[in-house]
Amino acid sequence: MARRRRLRAELGYGAFLSYSGERDRGWLPHLRRAIEKQSRPWYKPPRIRVFLDDSSISIGPQLWGKIEAGLARSDWLVVMASPESKASVWVDREIEWWLRHKSVDTILLLVTAGLLVWDEQRGDWDPELSTALPARLLGRFTQQPVWKSLALRQPENGAGPVPDVDGIALGIASVVRGLAEEDLRSEGIRDTRRNLRTARITAAVLGLLLLVASTVSVVALIARAEAARQRDHAVAQQLIGQSSFLATRDPFGARLKALAAWRIDPTPESRLAVLNATANPASGLLAHSWPVKSVAFSPDAKTIATGSDDGLVRLWDAATQRKIGDAYIGHHQAVTSVAFGPSGETLISSGFDGTVRLWSIADHKQIGDAFDARAGMLSSAALSPDGKTLVLVGDGASGSVQVWDVATHRRIGDPLGGRAYGSGSVAFSPDGKTFATGAGNEVQLWDAGSHAPLGTALTISDHLVSSVSFSGDGRTIAASDTDGNVQLWETATRAPIGKPFTADARWVDSVAFSPDGEVFAASYADGSVRLWDIVGHTQVGAPLTGHISNARAVAFSPDGSTLASASDDTTVRLWDVRAQRQIGTSVGTGAQGTTEFSPRGHVLALGGSASTVRFWDIASRRQIGEPLVSRDVDTGSPFALSPDGTVLATTSFASNYDVTLWDITTHRRIGEPLPAGDGNIRAMAFSPDGKSFATSGGNSVRLWDLATRGQIGKELAVSSWRLDFSPDGRTLATNTDDDTVALWDVATQRRIGETPPSHTAQINAVTFSPDGTILATASRDSTVRLWNVATREQIGEPLTGHRGGVTSVAFSPNGRTLVTGSMDHTVRLWDVTTRQQIGAPLEGHSADVTGAGFGPGGKTVAAWGKENTVRLWDTEATVDPVDSLCRWARGAFDAGRWREYVPAGPAFQPLCPR
């Protein structure tokens, strides 16, 4: 036996498990046993031995020597990839040894937390998105390696998800032994059959034979179902990773992959992927691979056409921002302009290859031969309103301006004008009787019938004209130049309208009038887009920013509600003209002083200067009535709104900071004030039924009966500045000087428990979930923690991500989402189940965010900050993310899209069943 033990100690290992962190330490011994027992009877030694540094070696001064010996005798290195492993010195040292002595092809990655994202274009891991990848593995793989994600399963005892050890063990064993998972599973089935045959011979009973046969069939079915489940889970994990990677590159693909992952494997992780895709900040963005120089709306506003430097013309669905069909291929160089025909059934495009091409929208094909102008690089082309005439501008020596007959594809007459030197532009008037061209530093008007010039040329400055455009009524013409000027003229008299419009940005590439002719948009070389009021001769609002390179073209939708801008940063962005923001981002309104949200989220009270309080309806985003103005209102002290939003509680300078209740409709006091007690009021809260009231002042908290104005029972002995009632009104939560939360029985005024001292700094906010089972706390330590109200134990790890103290936290009405505001000037959404952040931070505040909450139905988030601003975000998509994605797709997620975006294996499932 001693000799057998020595021989056993000298045997090699099939796998070496490398890990870091307490999360993985607890379950890895189970994984080791599961791998070693794969496909073997209980009385036989394992086919694969596993080295685990926590249990396979003793602690001592020769620790590394024993680990190195284990590495030397191992065939595979299995790295538990996680943020902890990424930061671990021991894991890095083990990988370094392996790469120096063995092959990178024998490294298997198992993702236990975080993400691994393979970048096909780079042929390597994405270093920014791969949060679980040890840095030493960057640039090591010549092709995408074998890697697996940690699967979770729900145990029968109802506890939280636990690692699917058997499934992971099967995957690792199949790689180490070089067998397919199906073959490895078959070995187990053969062993089971062998045991069953022995049982049949021993029993020698026909009934037992039938039972054994049935048992084998059940085992096979279970094995087959388990194999399908593991395959589906793996595909879902792959789709989740791809959805995250495509979030800013292909929003449509990211959303489809996330939804497919949810249909294949409906886990909290896949639901989070759907939430992330739904809350994707790239909404309102058309992503290209090359710079985009042209954009146009179809006459019915349903389609957007774009032309980019790769020579391709693309069509997009304006509502979903997804591509329509394949790109139009024909140009050999950059596309410089696109324009729809009058009926929207055709499209023209010009390019630097010197051609103009006419396309059929229905057939997705080119109509006839290209218009070969031999005019050098064409910088612009325009169709007459009746679609019969084409005017193009180029820089050829034979003449930059040419007129063509669309039906015959023949040039009409001789070229007009001189060379444009690559910066020319052309536009037709709405009635088709006139067209204007910009060439050099001049703008020339032409008679569309005779092709004769109308008067002398117009000039802005000595700089090149970059764009020309007619207003919707044709009475005004605008031209921009490369010095950042935009000049307007009366079309009939050619008289200039005021001075040029100038901004603090140079080089205007494009100018376009809104359909109503009241404003025009201009794009600038700094990437900004600006709206200008024509009558007032002033800029409308702040510049529209988002592009990170030259903004090349702008176009209004036919109804004027949307503006599209194309840029060298390879994107087209869609802007909400009324709100002056990119579609899918925030809007704001001004406010000052204390701000308070009603518990139901439908009324916002904004304290201003001069003891003024304004009330806003969140759903309509309009002010409710006139402001409440009274010297008895201290707008620098806490407010409280009743659950129905009809009563406001304030403190007063005039009455020793006592609490006054106001009817927000009549602006009249309700009853006598409530005495402040032995100190200034720090916090106030209404009970859910609106019949009771809590105030915190000095070193105590008082409960009040609002009907009698009398105090309820004795004071609560706690110094607190944050209060919240449970949804049933029976419990009151207060923060304490010890950075904990104390829970009180409202009926008896007794302390019934408190949370452990887990926060390391002051608790700034406390709130119950809508069902009263969870308590959320936000702290200056930059974390949010969730607590089980019944046990007062923390639920999972804290929510981390803010880079400053968290000042506020609130649950959505369905309790599935949290919103937080922070001193880092951001607002963030969180999935309560996974405790992971949803999408990117909501940005826009320029100072500390002091409060945040959900509007009615969770469809809006309001947040306010120290810069005296309240911002509103549309969060309707997060209420039911699956339904939101399906309504957004409008039938685009069909079987064809499934085959295009989902890997082979899982059977097709309707992504959006009716």
Side-chain angles (χ1 to χ4, degrees):
M1 292 179 65
R3 175 180 173 276
R4 186 180 182 87
R5 284 196 295 270
R6 288 195 300 274
L7 179 63
R8 182 88 176 130
E10 295 171 0
L11 291 176
Y13 297 94
F16 183 107
L17 302 184
S18 176
Y19 73 99
S20 177
E22 292 299 326
R23 179 181 58 254
D24 292 340
R25 185 187 304 276
W27 67 275
L28 285 182
H30 301 288
L31 177 62
R32 175 174 176 259
R33 289 192 295 271
I35 295 174
E36 291 185 342
K37 74 176 183 180
Q38 283 291 324
S39 302
R40 68 175 179 89
W42 62 270
Y43 53 84
K44 288 187 178 181
R47 294 187 173 101
I48 302 173
R49 297 182 69 219
V50 177
F51 187 101
L52 178 61
D53 60 6
D54 185 46
S55 58
S56 298
I57 59 174
S58 59
I59 298 175
Q62 302 301 321
L63 177 61
W64 174 248
K66 295 179 181 180
I67 291 178
E68 190 175 31
L71 289 167
R73 297 201 303 273
S74 299
D75 297 327
W76 281 79
L77 176 63
V78 182
V79 179
M80 306 297 149
S82 67
E84 291 85 353
S85 296
K86 182 178 181 179
S88 170
V89 175
W90 281 102
V91 172
D92 181 77
R93 192 172 180 182
E94 290 164 357
I95 294 175
E96 179 188 19
W97 188 96
W98 194 272
L99 293 175
R100 189 168 61 249
H101 296 88
K102 299 195 178 188
S103 171
V104 71
D105 295 328
T106 54
I107 294 179
L108 173 62
L109 298 174
L110 176 62
V111 181
T112 64
L115 288 175
L116 290 183
V117 179
W118 183 264
D119 190 337
E120 293 292 349
Q121 295 182 351
R122 182 183 301 170
D124 196 4
W125 303 106
D126 188 315
E128 296 181 359
L129 298 180
S130 297
T131 59
L133 181 71
R136 196 170 292 278
L137 292 179
L138 283 171
R140 296 291 186 174
F141 297 96
T142 58
Q143 60 183 357
Q144 184 172 359
V146 176
W147 63 283
K148 296 179 178 296
S149 295
L150 176 64
L152 298 177
R153 64 179 179 84
Q154 191 72 31
E156 295 181 356
N157 60 12
V162 297
D164 184 2
V165 174
D166 292 336
I168 300 168
L170 180 66
I172 294 176
S174 69
V175 173
V176 172
R177 295 189 60 194
L179 297 174
E181 291 188 13
E182 289 292 340
D183 294 339
L184 198 59
R185 189 175 290 104
S186 296
E187 287 184 356
I189 294 174
R190 285 196 296 271
D191 289 337
T192 303
R193 286 174 175 169
R194 186 163 51 248
N195 293 334
L196 291 176
R197 281 197 299 272
T198 302
R200 283 200 306 270
I201 295 172
T202 304
V205 177
L206 184 59
L208 184 59
L209 285 173
L210 180 59
L211 178 61
V212 170
S214 300
T215 302
V216 171
S217 299
V218 170
V219 169
L221 290 173
I222 293 174
R224 190 178 299 113
E226 177 63 16
R229 191 194 66 78
Q230 293 186 19
R231 177 205 62 202
D232 289 353
H233 179 78
V235 171
Q237 292 295 310
Q238 181 180 350
L239 289 169
I240 290 171
Q242 292 172 347
S243 176
S244 175
F245 177 75
L246 294 173
T248 58
R249 297 167 173 82
D250 180 7
F252 178 82
R255 291 171 173 178
L256 187 146
K257 286 178 178 289
L259 188 55
W262 167 255
R263 293 300 185 202
I264 293 171
D265 190 23
T267 63
E269 189 175 5
S270 59
R271 183 180 183 275
L272 176 62
V274 175
L275 277 168
N276 281 324
T278 306
N280 181 6
S283 177
L285 180 142
L286 312 181
H288 295 66
S289 301
W290 290 67
V292 190
K293 287 187 170 61
S294 54
V295 62
F297 280 91
S298 63
D300 61 6
K302 294 181 179 180
T303 307
I304 299 172
T306 60
S308 51
D309 279 4
D310 54 5
L312 301 180
V313 176
R314 294 177 174 85
L315 296 183
W316 306 77
D317 185 299
T320 65
Q321 296 109 54
R322 67 178 179 89
K323 295 176 185 177
I324 301 175
D326 297 327
Y328 293 83
I329 301 175
H331 290 286
H332 306 301
Q333 296 184 45
V335 177
T336 55
S337 68
V338 291
F340 283 92
S343 64
E345 297 177 354
T346 58
L347 179 76
I348 64 161
S349 60
S350 64
F352 276 163
D353 60 1
T355 67
V356 174
R357 298 173 187 270
L358 181 65
W359 308 93
S360 168
I361 301 298
D363 298 337
H364 224 71
K365 295 180 180 179
Q366 184 174 315
I367 301 174
D369 296 329
F371 297 80
D372 190 355
R374 293 183 173 84
M377 296 187 298
L378 296 183
S379 54
S380 182
L383 268 176
S384 61
D386 61 8
K388 296 180 179 180
T389 307
L390 171 69
V391 179
L392 54 87
V393 178
D395 70 348
S398 62
S400 66
V401 181
Q402 299 183 22
V403 183
W404 289 70
D405 183 284
V406 174
T408 63
H409 279 56
R410 292 183 179 181
R411 192 175 72 192
I412 303 172
D414 295 327
L416 313 174
R419 301 182 66 178
Y421 300 103
S423 64
S425 180
V426 60
F428 268 96
S429 63
D431 60 9
K433 296 180 179 180
T434 308
F435 65 86
T437 58
N441 67 338
E442 296 181 340
V443 175
Q444 180 65 59
L445 299 178
W446 305 83
D447 183 284
S450 64
H451 304 167
L454 299 174
T456 59
L458 310 174
T459 59
I460 311 175
S461 63
D462 294 334
H463 294 81
L464 297 177
V465 174
S466 56
S467 176
V468 294
S469 178
F470 281 93
S471 62
D473 58 11
R475 296 179 180 179
T476 307
I477 185 172
S480 61
D481 67 16
T482 55
D483 193 40
N485 301 306
V486 178
Q487 178 65 58
L488 306 183
W489 294 273
E490 292 182 356
T491 305
T493 64
R494 298 187 302 284
I497 303 174
K499 296 180 179 180
F501 292 75
T502 59
D504 56 357
R506 302 292 297 276
W507 199 302
V508 181
D509 259 307
S510 177
V511 62
F513 283 94
S514 63
D516 60 13
E518 295 182 359
V519 299
F520 70 83
S523 61
Y524 294 81
D526 64 356
S528 67
V529 177
R530 298 163 193 254
L531 298 174
W532 297 90
D533 181 278
I534 295 173
V535 176
H537 208 85
T538 57
Q539 184 173 315
V540 179
L544 306 179
T545 57
H547 290 300
I548 59 175
S549 187
N550 292 20
R552 293 292 191 181
V554 287
F556 281 94
S557 62
D559 63 2
S561 64
T562 304
L563 178 69
S565 60
S567 170
D568 281 348
D569 67 4
T570 73
T571 69
V572 172
R573 295 180 184 269
L574 304 181
W575 308 89
D576 184 319
V577 175
R578 180 186 60 84
Q580 295 183 48
R581 61 183 176 90
Q582 185 178 328
I583 292 174
T585 56
S586 64
V587 295
T589 183
Q592 294 179 345
T594 301
T595 303
E596 180 65 19
F597 220 6
S598 65
R600 297 176 188 171
H602 61 299
V603 177
L604 191 67
L606 309 176
S609 59
S611 298
T612 300
V613 182
R614 288 178 169 83
F615 303 96
W616 288 79
D617 182 280
I618 296 301
S620 65
R621 302 188 181 185
R622 294 181 179 180
Q623 185 171 316
I624 302 172
E626 296 298 321
L628 165 62
V629 181
S630 174
R631 289 181 298 175
D632 290 336
V633 175
D634 177 12
T635 57
S637 295
F639 287 172
L641 274 166
S642 62
D644 60 7
T646 62
V647 179
L648 175 71
T650 70
T651 58
S652 170
F653 289 114
S655 58
N656 194 30
Y657 292 96
D658 289 345
V659 177
T660 302
L661 302 182
W662 302 85
D663 184 310
I664 70 170
T665 302
T666 64
H667 297 177
R668 294 181 179 178
R669 293 179 180 85
I670 303 174
E672 295 298 321
L674 303 177
D678 57 355
N680 294 343
I681 296 297
R682 294 180 174 181
M684 302 184 289
F686 283 90
S687 64
D689 60 8
K691 297 179 180 180
S692 303
F693 191 68
T695 61
S696 174
N699 295 316
S700 65
V701 173
R702 299 183 180 193
L703 298 172
W704 304 87
D705 185 314
L706 293 181
T708 65
R709 289 296 194 277
Q711 183 173 325
I712 302 173
K714 60 184 179 181
E715 298 176 2
L716 311 184
V718 62
S719 176
S720 179
W721 50 96
R722 291 294 182 269
L723 308 172
D724 192 48
F725 281 94
S726 62
D728 60 10
R730 297 179 180 178
T731 307
L732 180 69
T734 66
N735 68 336
T736 71
D737 290 332
D738 299 325
D739 304 326
T740 64
V741 175
L743 299 178
W744 304 81
D745 186 294
V746 173
T748 63
Q749 297 91 54
R750 292 182 179 178
R751 191 165 180 159
I752 57 176
E754 65 179 35
T755 61
S758 300
H759 283 294
T760 59
Q762 174 183 308
I763 293 177
N764 290 324
V766 177
T767 186
F768 282 95
S769 62
D771 62 5
T773 61
I774 300 175
L775 185 73
T777 56
S779 168
R780 278 183 173 270
D781 64 9
S782 303
T783 70
V784 173
R785 296 174 188 264
L786 302 181
W787 308 88
N788 184 306
V789 173
T791 65
R792 270 86 70 188
E793 294 180 352
Q794 184 172 315
I795 303 173
E797 296 297 318
L799 280 59
T800 59
H802 282 296
R803 299 174 181 175
V806 186
T807 57
S808 60
V809 59
F811 282 92
S812 63
N814 63 13
R816 305 187 73 172
T817 308
L818 275 176
V819 62
T820 58
S822 169
M823 295 177 181
D824 65 6
H825 306 174
T826 69
V827 176
R828 299 173 191 246
L829 297 175
W830 307 84
D831 178 45
V832 174
T833 302
T834 62
R835 299 178 300 283
Q836 298 295 313
Q837 185 175 317
I838 300 171
L842 306 179
E843 299 177 329
H845 286 280
S846 59
D848 294 0
V849 177
T850 56
F854 284 95
K859 298 179 180 180
T860 306
V861 160
W864 48 96
K866 286 188 175 180
E867 83 278 28
N868 297 330
T869 299
V870 175
R871 293 185 177 273
L872 304 178
W873 284 270
D874 181 2
T875 54
E876 181 176 1
T878 63
V879 177
D880 187 343
V882 173
D883 179 68
S884 296
L885 282 189
C886 289
R887 284 189 285 107
W888 173 84
R890 297 194 307 179
F893 294 162
D894 54 18
R897 297 290 183 180
W898 178 283
R899 290 190 293 271
E900 180 181 355
Y901 284 90
V902 179
F908 167 71
Q909 299 182 46
L911 291 171
C912 297
R914 294 181 180 179

